[in-house]
Amino acid sequence: MIEYLNYSFFQNALAGVAIISVAAAMIGTYIIARRLVAISGGITHACFGGLGLGYYLGISPIATAALFAVGSALGVEWLSAKGRVREDSAIAVVWSVGMAVGVLLVFLTPGFVPELNTFLFGNILTISRGDLWAFGAYTILLAAFFAWKFRVIVACAFDADFARVNQLPVRWINMAMTIMTALCIVLTIRLVGIMLLMSMISLPQMTAEVFVRKFKSIMALSAVISLTCGLCGLALATIIDVPCSALMVAVMCGAYFICRVAKYLSGVTAKKARDEA
C-alpha cells in the first residue's frame, strides 16, 4: 500500500473517505434517530432518474441528480406531513419512478454511457480534486448547521411531538435536514455508488449504537468507525485487487458483527460473574 500513497488518485481517495466519513456520521445519525433509513434508499434510487436525465440532455448528471434528489426528498416529506400518503408508500413511489425514468433515459441516450457503472457500483478511486472541494464545502456547511441548531435537531429527531409542544421549528428543521440528506446522497454516489450508499449512512451508526446511546456520542463514534473501516477497505483492496467500495462495506458489516458478538459475550461474562458473586 505504501507505494500507492505517491499517486494522486489514491491520495484523493483517502481524503474522500475522511471527509465523507464526517458528513455521513452526521447525516446517518440523524436518519437513524428519525427511523428514516428507508427514505435514504428512496432518494438514492431516485437519483438514478436525475443521472439518466443528465446523460440524455448532455449536461452534468450530478447536477440533475441533485435536483431529483432534493425534489423527491421534499416530495416525500410534504406528502407525509400533509397526511395524504403514508411515508413508506411515498418512498416506494419515489424509489420505483426514479429508477424507471433513469433506465428509460439511459436507454434513449445515444451511444454508450461510460460512467454509469461508477454511479451504480461506485469507484472511490475516480474521485477528483473538484469532488473533494465539493465534499469539503458541503461538510463544512453541514457542520456549521449542526453547531447552530444542534439541540433543536436532536429534539426534532427523537420526539417531534415534544418539539412542537415546545414551539420548536420542527417543519423547518425537518425540511432543512431532508435537503442536507439529499445533497449528501448525491455527493457520495461516486464514493460507493447507488447500490451500496445506504450502508455508508447506516452501518457505522448501528455499530456505534452497540456501545453508546447519546446522539453526540453516536455521531462521533460512527465517524471514527466509518473512517477506520474505509481506510481498512482501501488497504485491503490494494492487496487482494477487488472493488474497494464493495470491500469497504464488507468491512463495515464485519465490524458490526464483531462488535455485536463482543457485546453479547461481555454481557454473558458479566452476568456469570454476578451470579458467582
Side-chain angles (χ1 to χ4, degrees):
M1 177 181 172
I2 302 299
E3 61 272 16
Y4 283 94
L5 296 176
N6 297 322
Y7 296 103
S8 59
F9 73 89
F10 198 77
Q11 295 170 3
N12 291 343
L14 291 175
V17 169
I19 296 172
I20 295 302
S21 293
V22 176
M26 290 185 279
I27 290 295
T29 305
Y30 172 79
I31 289 173
I32 292 292
R34 277 198 66 189
R35 297 177 174 86
L36 286 179
V37 176
I39 197 174
S40 63
I43 296 171
T44 301
H45 287 76
C47 286
F48 192 64
L51 293 174
L53 180 62
Y55 284 121
Y56 181 74
L57 297 178
I59 59 178
S60 171
I62 291 296
T64 51
L67 292 176
F68 264 65
V70 173
S72 61
L74 293 178
V76 170
E77 190 72 31
W78 182 76
L79 287 172
S80 60
K82 292 295 183 180
R84 298 179 181 179
V85 180
R86 285 175 50 186
E87 191 170 62
D88 57 344
S89 300
I91 292 170
V93 171
V94 166
W95 187 311
S96 56
V97 170
M99 290 296 292
V101 170
V103 170
L104 288 174
L105 291 176
V106 168
F107 178 80
L108 294 173
T109 301
F112 176 69
V113 180
E115 294 185 345
L116 188 58
N117 284 338
T118 298
F119 290 114
L120 283 174
F121 304 107
N123 189 352
I124 193 174
L125 299 178
T126 63
I127 291 180
S128 65
R129 290 289 179 181
D131 294 325
L132 291 178
W133 281 110
F135 292 159
Y138 166 79
T139 304
I140 291 172
L141 177 63
L142 180 64
F145 183 71
F146 263 77
W148 179 38
K149 292 290 185 180
F150 182 77
R151 292 183 180 275
V152 182
I153 291 172
V154 173
C156 294
F158 281 106
D159 196 337
D161 293 332
F162 173 79
R164 289 190 185 94
V165 170
N166 285 272
Q167 298 183 342
L168 297 177
V170 177
R171 187 174 181 182
W172 181 81
I173 289 294
N174 287 345
M175 200 71 71
M177 288 303 301
T178 298
I179 293 174
M180 288 291 188
T181 301
L183 292 177
C184 181
I185 289 171
V186 171
L187 290 174
T188 49
I189 284 177
R190 190 185 294 271
L191 179 64
V192 293
I194 289 176
M195 302 301 181
L196 302 176
L197 180 57
M198 287 183 64
S199 299
M200 288 291 294
I201 54 179
S202 59
L203 276 174
Q205 287 73 25
M206 292 169 59
T207 306
E209 281 187 319
V210 174
F211 304 103
V212 295
R213 290 296 177 182
K214 292 185 178 180
F215 190 98
K216 188 179 293 185
S217 300
I218 294 173
M219 192 167 60
L221 184 55
S222 63
V224 174
I225 293 170
S226 182
L227 177 60
T228 304
C229 293
L231 294 179
C232 289
L234 273 178
L236 289 173
T238 63
I239 298 173
I240 59 178
D241 192 23
V242 297
C244 52
S245 298
L247 192 54
M248 288 165 57
V249 176
V251 172
M252 290 181 186
C253 291
Y256 174 71
F257 177 76
I258 291 171
C259 290
R260 291 296 302 182
V261 171
K263 183 72 172 180
Y264 172 76
L265 292 177
S266 64
V268 171
T269 303
K271 183 176 183 301
K272 184 176 180 180
R274 287 195 302 268
D275 292 342
E276 291 178 352

